[in-house]
């Protein structure tokens, strides 16, 4: 069964450093998303991406965040200058298009720890 | 604004019993709802979904009920098994396919 994959599974970084979280969505999916989950809290939407541009972003997704689809398979989330409060699980998701395109399938997540 | 919340943060059931997890939503314009299961250290796993033009949908051992009048969603799990122990989130879809998640209910199945 196709699945969303994410690397790395755990990223530790110093405050102020740049991190890039990587995702390989399910092939032939056209809609891509990033969510985050602070420990013990609910999953929060960050950004949606379609046709090589951002469709929607949340208040969390400020100028420090960016997304990119550098090739036909990867989808990345970059945080330019990490803050302590960026520590969280980051989930990538993808969905198909059309009538069955509503279901978002999530990857296993990257645990980001900012020290 | 949009909000999705859960009535109970924890639910403990005996193996073999039926489980019911509830969820309230506030955005009457939401047209699609999903239940996700999240096991420790893993990403949300799709369980079942329902569109706003339906009031009930059944899957394997799971049923989702939607009451648009009171903006209430529930997940019923039949014959709950130890492997069902997890946190369950309801989510509603808003604009541009953005999902808004509830806080989650921790389901514990006792043998």
């Amino acid at each position: 069964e196709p699945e969303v994959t994410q690397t790395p599974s755990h990223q530790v970084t110093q405050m102020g450093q740049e991190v890039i979280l990587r995702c390989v969505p399910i092939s032939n999916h056209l809609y891509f998303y990033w969510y985050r989950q602070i420990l013990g809290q609910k999953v929060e939407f960050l950004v949606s991406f379609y046709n090589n541009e951002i469709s929607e972003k949340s208040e969390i997704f400020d100028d420090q965040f960016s997304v990119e689809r550098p090739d036909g398979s990867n989808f990345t989330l970059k945080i330019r200058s990490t803050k302590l409060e960026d520590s969280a699980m980051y989930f990538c998701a993808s969905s198909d298009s059309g009538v069955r395109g509503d279901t978002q399938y999530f990857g296993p997540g990257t645990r980001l720890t900012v020290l | 604004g949009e909000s999705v919340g859960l009535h109970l943060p924890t639910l403990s059931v005996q193996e073999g019993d039926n489980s019911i997890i509830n969820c309230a939503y506030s955005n009457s314009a939401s047209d699609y709802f999903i239940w996700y299961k999240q096991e420790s250290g893993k990403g949300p796993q799709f369980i079942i979904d329902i569109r706003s033009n339906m009031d009930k949908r059944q899957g394997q051992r799971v049923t989702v009920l939607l009451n648009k009048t009171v903006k209430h969603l529930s997940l019923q799990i039949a014959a709950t098994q130890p492997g069902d122990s997890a946190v369950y989130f309801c989510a509603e879809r808003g604009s541009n396919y953005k999902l808004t998640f509830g806080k989650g209910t921790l389901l514990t199945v006792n043998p």
Side-chain angles (χ1 to χ4, degrees):
Chain A
E1 184 177 327
E3 58 182 16
V4 177
T5 59
Q6 292 184 241
T7 55
S9 58
H10 192 188
Q11 175 85 48
V12 181
T13 189
Q14 295 291 324
M15 188 171 58
Q17 295 297 304
E18 174 183 288
V19 294
I20 298 177
L21 309 183
R22 292 182 166 80
C23 168
V24 178
I26 294 173
S27 91
N28 81 352
H29 279 189
L30 298 178
Y31 297 82
F32 314 113
Y33 317 83
W34 283 101
Y35 292 81
R36 80 170 186 189
Q37 184 179 31
I38 294 172
L39 185 64
Q41 298 186 23
K42 62 182 179 181
V43 178
E44 300 174 288
F45 170 79
L46 291 178
V47 65
S48 60
F49 189 87
Y50 170 70
N51 199 26
N52 283 319
E53 59 183 28
I54 291 174
S55 303
E56 186 173 1
K57 59 184 180 180
S58 71
E59 295 174 351
I60 303 168
F61 195 88
D62 60 23
D63 292 344
Q64 295 299 313
F65 290 86
S66 62
V67 290
E68 190 179 26
R69 185 144 164 90
D71 53 44
S73 60
N74 291 283
F75 181 51
T76 62
L77 174 69
K78 181 192 291 185
I79 309 175
R80 291 189 184 82
S81 178
T82 51
K83 303 186 285 286
L84 295 176
E85 53 265 38
D86 293 328
S87 295
M89 283 290 289
Y90 287 81
F91 294 107
C92 173
S94 69
S95 64
D96 199 349
S97 61
V99 175
R100 293 189 304 156
D102 296 324
T103 304
Q104 294 181 23
Y105 294 93
F106 284 74
T110 293
R111 178 172 297 283
L112 176 64
T113 301
V114 182
L115 303 175
Chain B
E2 297 176 326
S3 71
V4 180
L6 291 163
H7 290 214
L8 296 172
T10 61
L11 178 65
S12 183
V13 300
Q14 292 298 123
E15 182 178 357
D17 287 352
N18 296 333
S19 303
I20 299 176
I21 301 172
N22 296 303
C23 177
Y25 66 94
S26 62
N27 186 0
S28 56
S30 293
D31 63 353
Y32 177 65
F33 305 87
I34 314 109
W35 281 100
Y36 284 94
K37 172 186 179 183
Q38 187 178 27
E39 297 174 284
S40 180
K42 297 184 179 180
Q45 177 187 356
F46 170 84
I47 302 174
I48 192 167
D49 58 4
I50 189 167
R51 298 186 185 278
S52 58
N53 62 352
M54 303 170 68
D55 53 22
K56 180 179 180 178
R57 189 158 188 232
Q58 288 185 290
Q60 187 177 15
R61 283 201 307 118
V62 294
T63 301
V64 55
L65 299 177
L66 175 63
N67 186 331
K68 294 181 287 293
T69 302
V70 295
K71 295 182 201 154
H72 184 268
L73 194 69
S74 68
L75 175 70
Q76 300 176 1
I77 305 174
T80 315
Q81 303 168 359
D84 295 327
S85 294
V87 177
Y88 289 81
F89 293 95
C90 65
E92 62 178 310
R93 186 185 70 176
S95 57
N96 287 315
Y97 299 93
K98 163 189 170 182
L99 291 179
T100 299
F101 282 78
K103 293 183 181 178
T105 291
L106 173 62
L107 175 65
T108 302
V109 182
N110 302 309

